[in-house]
Amino acid sequence: MLFSIVTITYNHLSGLKSTAGSLKKQICDDYEWIIIDGASSDGTAAYLEEVSADITSEPDDGIYDAMNKGIERAQGEYVLFLNAGDTLADDQVLFKIKERLLQEKHTPDFIYGDALESNHAGKIFYKPARSVKRQVFGMITHHQSIFYRRDTVGDLRYDTFYQIAADYKFTSQFLKKAPGYLYIPAPLCCFEPGGVSQRQAKQARNEQYQIRAELSMASPLLNNAIYYIQTVMFMLKRGLPHIYWVSRSHRNINP
């Protein structure tokens, strides 16, 4: 099996259905779907009885604890975290990645691509990924556009001390141990707005700052500069979204 698609959900039945619909449309079926439900009370349990997936429904200690449970259950060569409400960008995403892998001489540990991001008005923006060499500046793409080779993940898990930016720490640690990566120059996911990282952006920046220090990713001077740049970009996105998206979409990718 090539892919393990892990979906974390809690009281988001409509989002879970959107994610399910996206996966059903894939022309490549070389995947398993793993659902980690935090014991939802919104009708999700009844819906899960109709779904063909590896399902765990029980209380957890937050999203990253649930994602760790997903890693433990995964059997595919690559793991993708596509949470309830998030969708793959089109019906050929898994097929395109599988085709690219067949062309590669070496098996990449880390596969990533661009993303589509919608705002609350429903407008879709194209969000290019950055180079893996720029991970110090923040996540190079949305978590939902990253495929991690399961064997390389090994015993690496999400640090549940961090409530919002554990994906940043996990990805940074993974890239330190992953010698090979593959960039797909196309959108791989459509990211649902309104997630915790957007609602609590300041805490996300604070946690990323702490992670960079913890992993010795940047000097104190650079770490402070990155924090300042992230704050400015957040303010620009909130106050002048048109300028933000024009500037964001023209960043070059040089893997």
Side-chain angles (χ1 to χ4, degrees), residues 52-80:
S52 178
D54 180 345
I55 299 167
T56 296
S57 184
E58 62 186 18
D60 54 53
D61 292 326
I63 185 172
Y64 295 114
D65 177 49
M67 291 167 78
N68 284 336
K69 292 180 180 180
I71 293 175
E72 296 290 344
R73 302 187 74 88
Q75 298 295 316
E77 187 172 351
Y78 291 94
V79 180
L80 169 71

Side-chain angles (χ1 to χ4, degrees), residues 26 44 92 98 108 114 122 128 137 140 143 178 180 205 231:
Q26 292 300 302
T44 292
Q92 298 187 47
K98 186 173 183 176
D114 305 335
F137 294 99
I140 58 174
H143 203 204
R205 293 193 298 274
T231 302

Side-chain angles (χ1 to χ4, degrees), residues 9-10 48 50 66 82 92 128 165 172-173 181 201 210 251-252:
T9 187
Y10 178 66
L48 291 178
E50 307 170 9
L82 195 69
Q92 298 187 47
S172 299
Q173 291 177 304
Y181 51 85
Q210 187 173 348
R251 290 180 181 170
N252 293 324

Side-chain angles (χ1 to χ4, degrees), residues 1 57 93 102 127 131 177 182 199 217 221-222 237:
M1 186 180 304
S57 184
V93 168
L102 293 174
K127 195 169 185 179
S131 166
K177 63 186 291 191
L182 171 65
R199 297 194 308 270
M217 295 173 64
L221 181 62
L222 178 58
K237 185 176 182 180

Side-chain angles (χ1 to χ4, degrees), residues 84-101:
D86 299 317
T87 58
L88 295 173
D90 57 55
D91 61 0
Q92 298 187 47
V93 168
L94 300 183
F95 173 79
K96 286 185 287 190
I97 295 175
K98 186 173 183 176
E99 289 294 296
R100 279 294 304 272
L101 287 172

Side-chain angles (χ1 to χ4, degrees), residues 216-237:
S216 301
M217 295 173 64
S219 67
L221 181 62
L222 178 58
N223 204 0
N224 285 323
I226 293 170
Y227 184 91
Y228 174 76
I229 292 170
Q230 289 178 334
T231 302
V232 170
M233 293 302 290
F234 173 76
M235 294 173 65
L236 187 64
K237 185 176 182 180

Side-chain angles (χ1 to χ4, degrees), residues 164 193-202 234 238:
I164 300 176
V196 65
S197 62
Q198 293 184 337
R199 297 194 308 270
Q200 302 180 40
K202 184 175 181 179
F234 173 76
R238 291 286 298 271

